[in-house]
Amino acid sequence: MKVPYLDLASQYRALKTEIDAAVLRVLGSTQFILGPDVTAFEQEFAAFTGTSECVAVNSGTSALHLALLACGIGPGDEVITVPFTFVATVSAIEYAGARPVLVDVEPEYLTMDPAKIEAAITPRTKAIMPVHLFGHPADMNPILAIARRHGLRVIEDAAQAHGATYQGQPCGSMGDVSCFSFYPGKNLGAYGEGGALVTADPAIAHTARLLRSWGEERRYEHLLKGFNYRMDGIQGAILRIKLRHLQAWTEARRARAAQYVAALVGSGVRVPTERPGDRHVYHVFAVRLADRDTARVRLEAAGVQTGVHYPIPVHLQPAYRNLGGAPGDFPVAEHAAGEVLSLPIYPELTPEQVDYVAAILRDGAVRGDGRTGA
Ligand SMILES: *Cc1c(COP(=O)(O)O)cnc(C)c1O
């Protein structure tokens, strides 16, 4: 049996008639950039995330960059985030001219450890940027309380968390501003690059809207030094169609996750858990095991593609030596980086495929040398 890590083709086949018609409609209208579909998508996505304002842009990274700038963050400022994330979280802070200050993640959900934040706050700290890693919410209540106590902004990196909820509240609705990615492999994916920021603060939305399009309110009148970060009309039209399916797709992901968890009980493989009261959307289904690399090779030989998110924490990346990180600085992140293994998970994955993947992983775990991640 072949189990690809991702299968974007079967989802496209299911929606082909509708998507093709929408794309042709945009082409016919020549609304190639922004336009009515992007505006309508912004309204629909703001409602989906429980916010009032959405600014659609050309990537999740652009959304993070504009969110920081719209919060007034720049050179001389510090932003607290985590080393165990996709590198874009940290890159965007440097794009804004600010300094990323990393704090370790907590061991259960691998999201920002609130107990580590206060020691990292300095007079230069302006914001905290938690990441809802893999689609599981960061522990927002203590993070928001610390931010309030110290007068800091909170910017959610929700690039992996479309539809996730923390204690009943949608990811994206809790911070001052929150950022999503519509990279094709994300839970809500465009057919190209895309992203958005959402906020309840009209001033943040207004600044971000100016910055995404050269700082113009009126043509050729530049109020701010801006960027070309606009969303394509075609992506807006596609995302509107796909957003209508997102709840059902998320339920399918959650069902596959529950099936994996049941199938891996007693295997010695550590499965992801969900904080009571929260809703994990399983952008990534990351198990943990000590013999990760061996398991990965065995799965590959059996036709199962897997991923590793992420093998090197940001503070140990060659490109981020400037942050002054060294092995041992963030032990939870470093330990996780050596153990995590992402199994295929997507709405179109069949129950038979889940059983097959779990069976191969189980056999290997039992046959192994007794070292497990549990
Ligand atoms: C995907 C992702 C981003 C960046 O989004 P792009 O659309 O690829 O620019 C940022 N942060 C996290 C956590 C991501 O997973």
Side-chain angles (χ1 to χ4, degrees):
M1 188 185 286
K2 284 264 179 286
V3 189
Y5 183 68
L6 200 64
D7 178 11
L8 297 177
S10 57
Q11 189 180 79
Y12 172 56
R13 273 196 302 276
L15 301 177
K16 186 174 187 316
T17 312
E18 208 181 348
I19 295 224
D20 289 5
V23 169
L24 289 173
R25 182 171 47 68
V26 174
L27 294 181
S29 76
T30 71
Q31 284 282 354
F32 301 126
I33 297 165
L34 298 177
D37 279 297
V38 172
T39 303
F41 173 70
E42 288 179 334
Q43 286 160 4
E44 290 156 11
F45 196 68
F48 176 80
T49 56
T51 56
S52 48
E53 306 262 5
C54 170
V55 180
V57 294
N58 62 349
S59 75
T61 309
S62 300
L64 289 166
H65 186 194
L66 294 192
L68 288 153
L69 295 179
C71 286
I73 289 158
D77 296 336
E78 293 176 355
V79 177
I80 294 173
T81 191
V82 288
F84 199 57
T85 181
F86 181 59
V87 70
T89 313
V90 176
S91 307
I93 295 169
E94 290 196 344
Y95 291 176
R99 178 177 164 72
V101 173
L102 305 179
V103 299
D104 209 352
V105 293
E106 51 83 50
E108 186 57 40
Y109 307 107
L110 303 178
T111 54
M112 182 178 281
D113 186 346
K116 303 281 164 58
I117 297 172
E118 283 191 294
I121 293 176
T122 76
R124 294 168 182 265
T125 308
K126 289 286 152 53
I128 307 174
M129 191 184 274
V131 180
H132 304 305
L133 192 77
F134 302 155
H136 189 283
D139 195 4
M140 292 304 290
N141 282 341
I143 293 172
L144 291 166
I146 292 165
R148 254 194 314 275
R149 214 157 42 237
H150 295 270
L152 306 176
R153 297 284 203 172
V154 174
I155 302 171
E156 296 174 59
D157 183 341
Q160 304 186 353
H162 320 68
T165 61
Y166 172 79
Q167 305 299 302
Q169 282 177 276
C171 285
S173 69
M174 295 171 279
D176 293 280
V177 50
S178 306
C179 302
F180 289 86
S181 165
F182 307 123
Y183 178 78
K186 296 287 160 79
N187 287 23
L188 178 62
Y191 288 164
E193 305 279 359
L197 60 85
V198 297
T199 179
D201 183 336
I204 288 177
H206 181 68
T207 305
R209 212 163 261 130
L210 288 179
L211 289 173
R212 102 176 139 180
S213 190
W214 298 118
E216 287 179 335
E217 194 142 43
R218 283 179 307 182
R219 201 71 177 124
Y220 305 124
E221 184 182 340
H222 304 276
L223 303 180
L224 297 172
K225 290 175 183 163
F227 303 86
N228 177 357
Y229 280 175
R230 297 169 301 231
M231 178 180 275
D232 286 347
I234 286 175
Q235 304 308 339
I238 291 167
L239 287 166
R240 290 188 71 195
I241 294 168
K242 294 184 72 173
L243 181 59
R244 299 200 271 273
H245 299 273
L246 184 55
Q247 288 293 9
W249 288 337
T250 301
E251 288 311 320
R253 282 178 185 270
R254 289 174 54 79
R256 302 300 171 270
Q259 195 190 338
Y260 270 133
V261 168
L264 290 170
V265 165
S267 68
V269 172
R270 182 171 174 176
V271 295
T273 56
E274 188 176 54
R275 183 187 294 110
D278 289 3
R279 183 175 191 251
H280 191 333
V281 295
Y282 298 100
H283 171 58
V284 169
F285 187 88
V287 298
R288 285 183 261 176
L289 65 175
D291 52 354
R292 184 262 315 278
D293 295 330
T294 318
R296 200 170 186 207
V297 168
R298 195 175 54 245
L299 285 159
E300 183 74 42
V304 178
Q305 284 179 352
T306 57
V308 174
H309 303 92
Y310 296 92
I312 308 172
V314 177
H315 69 289
L316 301 180
Q317 292 285 356
Y320 285 90
R321 288 208 185 96
N322 63 306
L323 299 180
D329 284 355
F330 304 111
V332 181
E334 290 167 32
H335 188 72
E339 290 199 329
V340 283
L341 178 67
S342 310
L343 304 183
I345 192 155
Y346 36 91
E348 300 79 14
L349 190 70
T350 66
E352 294 70 29
Q353 286 175 310
V354 172
D355 280 340
Y356 178 72
V357 174
I360 292 163
L361 199 53
R362 274 191 83 102
D363 287 351
V366 172
R367 263 197 279 113
D369 59 8
R371 291 180 308 131
T372 71

